[in-house]
Amino acid sequence: VSRRFSVFPFLMRAAVGDSSALKAGITECVRARLLAPFAVTMDKEPGETFVAQFKSTVRCHYTGPVRLTRALPLPNVQSSVVIPAESEIGQILALDCEQATLPELPRLKLQIQTPVPVKAGSTESGAAAAAAMDMSLWSMRQAVTASLGRAMKIIDIGANLTDPVFRGKYRGKQAHADDMPHILERARASGIVGMMVTGGSLSESAEAVRLSREHPGLFATVGCHPTRSSEVDKHSGGADAYFAGLRALIDNNRDIVVAVGECGLDYDRLHFAAKDVQNKYFERQFELAAATGLPMFLHCRNTGGDFERIMRANRDRFSGGVVHSFTGSADEARQLLDLGLYIGINGCSLKTEDNLAAVRTIPIDRLMIETDCPYCEIRKTHASHALLATGAAWTAPDAKKKERWDSDSMVKGRNEPCMIRQVLTVLAQLHGVSEAELAERMFENTRSVFFKDVEYDF
């Protein structure tokens, strides 16, 4: 256990020996921000404090008497709790919290069992307790993940949740069941409180709006990606009808549409759309921003100065925005900052040592964070991967090939929103700040640009 999850040495110490060891181990976990002190408390001496937040059943064998007197409900969750007043060795305690306001999550259950009675003062009590301990590793990891996540608030500014792979479909073939609910649950457990679902075309923007309407905490961008700009002239009603459709999506969904985009220029993929077509319809999307007052969600790849030129010419037509998935140099970052823009970072932004050097130059009050899922995961070949080993204790869920999919696992090669925690770890390492501090700063950055007029309680 301790080799895989750094929090568990504390729990192991807490579970063996006398009550002072229990208290010391739990206190250490709280101080390390690995557990949140609100689930169960014991009231007074010789009582101690039990701290846990569980999303599924966990069985923990403990050899001492335990007395539970009251339970504190989870924040913003209505809980019905039944707890025995007192327990002796050998009895089973169960804490059940029905989450009335979060029906999509399973019941919370904590079971403490003591199947091996040990005489007080026995020299073998510690060894017996250790031998009796049996934890569900996945459940414990979920508990720690949830506790860590709820200590911070993260908004993923770029999630391509309209991609069919999040419905289990790969290259037109259904490989496994639709697992969107599980993806969103893992995202919440990682600390994500909001996601911007990227719209890259008229039809994709409509799907982003539909998803955002269906799932609280999701918000849409509406626009035309540079690699999709060739479809504008092919639209049955022509370019005017295409942009009228985008405008209607915005006007009819102002409570959940937070940006114009994804729009910009991409000269790395001119086989999808020629330069003149990209430039023409990038310029036209400033009309949407000016008419609606929305900020912009921007894309720039190898444009030889054209992107900066167009941005400077139109800077007074939009309120603000972010250049997402930044992969440029330190000089390019400075040019974007001089335009008053924010910069979005994901795994693709952190591939090389040059990337890392450029990202270090971006002040944290101008950073935003994203996954760009299902793309842009941090891979073992990336320069940033080495920084994960020195970061915080968050552990990614298991991942399996799509052919072996199950609901508790991610799919190998398919990036997910929850993996934003790895991007956060790397960014914190690069800037020499704690993950909690950086997450809070980026949350406020994002909220100030995209959510200042949105009524939503994060």
Side-chain angles (χ1 to χ4, degrees):
V1 172
S2 61
R3 285 198 301 270
R4 293 187 63 186
F5 308 109
S6 60
V7 63
F8 290 119
F10 296 132
L11 295 178
M12 295 287 280
R13 290 208 309 271
V16 299
D18 59 15
S19 61
S20 61
L22 170 63
K23 183 175 182 180
I26 294 295
T27 301
E28 194 74 26
C29 288
V30 173
R31 286 177 179 170
R33 299 177 67 86
L34 295 176
L35 294 174
F38 55 69
V40 184
T41 61
M42 296 176 238
D43 63 345
K44 57 186 178 181
E45 296 297 328
E48 305 295 344
T49 302
F50 236 115
V51 186
Q53 178 181 359
F54 297 102
K55 291 181 62 181
S56 55
T57 301
V58 174
R59 291 179 176 84
C60 175
H61 301 289
Y62 174 61
T63 59
V66 178
R67 185 160 65 92
L68 304 179
T69 59
R70 66 191 182 94
L72 304 179
L74 305 181
N76 302 320
V77 176
Q78 300 172 2
S79 302
S80 59
V81 182
V82 179
I83 303 176
E86 191 165 343
S87 172
E88 299 297 337
I89 290 178
Q91 291 183 312
I92 297 177
L93 303 180
L95 170 65
D96 289 351
C97 298
E98 292 286 357
Q99 299 199 38
T101 60
L102 295 174
E104 72 278 14
L105 295 182
R107 287 195 307 176
L108 303 178
K109 176 176 284 189
L110 168 64
Q111 290 186 332
I112 304 169
Q113 298 178 335
T114 58
V116 185
V118 179
K119 294 182 180 180
S122 170
T123 59
E124 298 180 355
S125 60
M133 176 169 287
D134 177 21
M135 296 182 181
S136 167
L137 298 186
W138 168 248
S139 297
M140 288 300 294
R141 183 169 63 188
Q142 288 292 82
V144 174
T145 294
S147 300
L148 282 167
R150 284 177 172 80
M152 60 182 70
K153 294 180 179 180
I154 303 171
I155 297 175
D156 185 347
I157 66 163
N160 297 288
L161 295 183
T162 62
D163 195 297
V165 298
F166 293 123
R167 300 293 187 177
K169 185 176 289 188
Y170 301 78
R171 298 181 180 180
K173 295 183 179 180
Q174 196 75 36
H176 58 76
D178 179 345
D179 59 341
M180 181 68 75
H182 304 290
I183 292 164
L184 297 179
E185 181 180 332
R186 286 191 287 270
R188 284 189 292 267
S190 73
I192 291 179
V193 295
M195 283 182 267
M196 291 167 55
V197 183
T198 308
S201 66
L202 178 56
S203 60
E204 197 174 86
S205 295
E207 176 65 8
V209 166
R210 187 194 67 78
L211 272 175
S212 300
R213 188 65 68 194
E214 182 179 344
H215 300 284
L218 301 189
F219 300 86
T221 75
V222 170
C224 183
H225 192 281
T227 62
R228 309 286 286 279
S229 55
S230 59
E231 72 179 43
V232 176
D233 290 327
K234 299 175 184 177
H235 186 67
S236 58
D240 288 345
Y242 191 97
F243 279 90
L246 293 176
R247 175 66 187 273
L249 277 175
I250 296 172
D251 289 344
N252 295 332
N253 298 280
R254 289 305 299 260
D255 57 324
I256 56 174
V257 176
V258 296
V260 171
E262 179 177 356
C263 58
L265 300 175
D266 190 325
Y267 291 176
D268 282 340
R269 292 181 280 181
L270 294 176
H271 52 288
F272 289 119
K275 284 185 182 181
D276 60 327
V277 175
Q278 291 191 28
N279 277 256
K280 178 181 179 180
Y281 292 122
F282 179 28
E283 293 258 15
R284 186 152 183 179
Q285 291 181 77
F286 290 103
E287 297 176 13
L288 286 176
T292 61
L294 287 174
M296 301 188 77
F297 187 73
L298 298 157
H299 178 104
C300 177
R301 283 286 186 276
N302 192 26
T303 65
D306 285 355
F307 179 85
E308 183 190 3
R309 172 183 57 79
I310 292 174
M311 292 300 297
R312 289 194 183 280
N314 292 278
R315 187 60 188 88
D316 60 345
R317 303 177 72 189
F318 66 101
S319 59
V322 63
V323 178
H324 99 110
S325 194
F326 176 76
T327 58
S329 66
D331 285 342
E332 290 172 313
R334 179 182 50 77
Q335 291 170 0
L336 298 176
L337 296 174
D338 288 345
L339 286 166
L341 298 172
Y342 288 74
I343 297 178
I345 303 298
N346 57 40
C348 288
S349 311
L350 305 167
K351 290 182 177 181
T352 69
E353 291 295 342
D354 287 343
N355 290 153
L356 301 186
V359 170
R360 282 192 185 96
T361 69
I362 305 170
I364 63 174
D365 61 356
R366 302 289 286 279
L367 278 174
M368 294 184 188
I369 192 169
E370 58 178 301
T371 56
D372 205 23
C373 61
Y375 320 111
C376 290
E377 63 185 333
I378 294 178
R379 299 181 179 178
K380 292 181 179 180
T381 56
H382 293 177
S384 56
H385 191 270
L387 297 178
L388 296 177
T390 57
W394 187 81
T395 304
D398 291 333
K400 298 179 179 180
K401 292 182 178 180
K402 61 182 183 294
E403 294 82 7
R404 299 177 58 216
W405 172 88
D406 64 62
S407 61
D408 287 334
S409 302
M410 299 192 304
V411 175
K412 285 186 176 181
R414 184 189 71 176
N415 196 14
E416 279 194 21
C418 69
M419 299 301 284
I420 204 166
R421 290 297 297 270
Q422 290 192 340
V423 182
L424 176 62
T425 294
V426 172
L427 285 176
Q429 296 284 304
L430 292 176
H431 286 82
V433 297
S434 71
E435 293 186 23
E437 178 184 351
L438 183 58
E440 181 179 5
R441 180 67 264 181
M442 292 190 293
F443 173 78
E444 292 301 333
N445 294 345
T446 305
R447 191 164 64 169
S448 69
V449 174
F450 294 108
F451 296 93
K452 60 184 178 181
D453 298 321
V454 175
E455 294 184 5
Y456 185 79
D457 184 9
F458 289 106

